[in-house]
Amino acid sequence: LVGIDEQRLGNIDKYLEDLTNQKKIQGAVLLLARKGKVFHFKSLGQADWEKKLAMDKNAIFRIKSMSKPI
């Protein structure tokens, strides 16, 4: 994996899964790249709780504040 520790990568997935399970966030899309190569691309949680729709990797998000971009 392009010099990435797989255990630490698993920690990121677990953290986001925990946030969705605790309903602190509805869902997330995670894409990680290094040296121009995507090495991890995953969607977690739900796009719509009421309709129970899973989050899609191609989901579009509204960004309300750009003062602290991720």
Side-chain angles (χ1 to χ4, degrees):
L1 261 189
V2 295
I4 301 300
D5 183 343
E6 290 187 47
Q7 182 179 1
R8 292 181 77 183
L9 180 59
N11 290 343
I12 296 170
D13 287 343
K14 185 180 179 326
Y15 177 72
L16 289 173
E17 287 172 8
D18 289 346
L19 289 177
T20 58
N21 291 338
Q22 296 168 14
K23 298 196 178 202
K24 291 185 177 183
I25 63 171
Q26 187 168 327
V29 177
L30 174 65
L31 184 141
L32 300 172
R34 184 168 186 187
K35 297 181 181 176
K37 295 185 181 186
V38 174
F39 64 88
H40 191 68
F41 189 25
K42 185 173 185 176
S43 60
L44 304 143
Q46 296 184 341
D48 189 322
W49 277 331
E50 292 174 4
K51 295 179 183 176
K52 297 184 180 180
L53 295 175
M55 182 65 71
D56 184 55
K57 288 181 179 179
N58 295 317
I60 297 173
F61 296 86
R62 176 180 286 178
I63 298 175
K64 295 185 179 184
S65 173
M66 288 299 293
S67 62
K68 296 177 183 105
I70 298 173

